[in-house]
Amino acid sequence: MRRVASLLGSLLIAATIAGSTTATRAAEGPAALPPSVRIKPVMVPIVTRGQVERYTQIEVMLEVANATRLGEVQLAIPRLHDAALRAVYTGIEEGWIVRGNIANMPALRRRIDEESVKLFGKDVVSRILITPLARQSSFP
């Protein structure tokens, strides 16, 4: 009887240790993502024969590498929106954006990155995500 009780006690201790290790791993979870700043959507006009035919929207999100500078980046969101808008219009002019579709994503990202380096310095913004959101149907 003592052997059975000893064996059950050993199994109980082993299960408790294994359970706490699993709980510790679950509590740690995956590595935390770096903070990011979302710029309000940018309207991209689709111009045909000199007239605006419709609009499409893109959203720009900047991943901040240095979390201590997140507040500074958040305060500059209006200037970042302006920089993204200028980059979009430059993209239309240069042919990076054709009929609302981004044909040269690296060039558009590079232009937005250049503007963020001017605002914050190097290595503050680590990545730039550009996402198409919605398209508006043609005007009547």
Side-chain angles (χ1 to χ4, degrees), residues 37-56:
V37 174
R38 186 180 312 261
I39 299 173
K40 69 180 187 174
V42 176
M43 297 293 286
V44 180
I46 298 172
V47 180
T48 306
R49 293 184 290 272
Q51 291 193 354
V52 175
E53 180 182 315
R54 58 190 164 151
Y55 286 90
T56 185

Side-chain angles (χ1 to χ4, degrees), residues 66-94:
N66 187 350
T68 59
R69 309 258 326 252
L70 179 63
E72 178 186 350
V73 175
Q74 287 174 333
L75 287 174
I77 286 177
R79 293 186 352 214
L80 287 168
H81 184 265
D82 181 58
L85 195 59
R86 281 186 280 124
V88 163
Y89 278 90
T90 300
I92 292 170
E93 224 174 78
E94 297 289 326

Side-chain angles (χ1 to χ4, degrees), residues 11-69:
L11 288 174
L12 184 60
I13 291 171
T16 304
I17 292 171
S20 68
T21 305
T22 305
T24 303
R25 286 186 187 145
E28 290 174 3
L33 295 173
S36 59
V37 174
R38 186 180 312 261
I39 299 173
K40 69 180 187 174
V42 176
M43 297 293 286
V44 180
I46 298 172
V47 180
T48 306
R49 293 184 290 272
Q51 291 193 354
V52 175
E53 180 182 315
R54 58 190 164 151
Y55 286 90
T56 185
Q57 287 182 329
I58 62 170
E59 185 179 66
V60 179
M61 191 162 58
L62 306 174
E63 190 175 275
V64 181
N66 187 350
T68 59
R69 309 258 326 252

